[in-house]
Amino acid sequence: LPEIARLLGGYDVKIFSVAASTDESVFAACAEAGVPVIRIMVNIEQDGYKAAEERTRRKLEQLVPLCGKYGVKVGVQQHYGNFVIDSNGIMRLMDGLSSDHVG
C-alpha cells in the first residue's frame, strides 16, 4: 500500500480509503501510506441483525486504540444485501463512539 500510494501520488492521486480487514498491519500500512480511512461493512449473519450490531459495536470499541495509535479512522459503510443498509443502522453503531476514530 505505501508503495502504490507513493506511485499514485506522483500523478496527484491520493488514496482516501481502503476496504480491508482491521488487522494492525493494515492500520500500520495505511498510516505509512497516508490513507486516513479503513472501510468495513456490517455483515448480518444467521444469528440476526441485533447480534450483528452488538458484535460490530464491540469490534469498533476494540479498534479505538489502534485508530489512536496510527491516526487512521474506521469507516462503517452501508451496503445492499445482508449488511446494514441504511443510515439509521449506521447511526446506532456510531452512538457514543468518537468521530475521531470511527465514522
Side-chain angles (χ1 to χ4, degrees), residues 8-75:
L8 291 172
Y11 296 99
D12 293 325
V13 175
K14 181 176 164 101
I15 302 171
F16 177 74
S17 68
V18 296
S21 71
T22 52
D23 299 332
E24 186 167 4
S25 62
V26 176
F27 277 89
C30 285
E32 184 180 341
V35 176
V37 177
I38 300 169
R39 292 187 333 272
I40 64 167
M41 295 183 295
V42 181
N43 187 19
I44 301 169
E45 298 174 14
Q46 289 187 352
D47 56 354
Y49 187 91
K50 186 68 174 161
E53 184 180 88
E54 291 170 358
R55 185 174 40 255
T56 303
R57 177 65 187 214
R58 284 190 305 272
K59 178 180 179 179
L60 292 171
E61 289 169 347
Q62 292 169 353
L63 292 173
V64 166
L66 289 176
C67 294
K69 179 178 179 179
Y70 291 102
V72 175
K73 182 184 277 194
V74 174

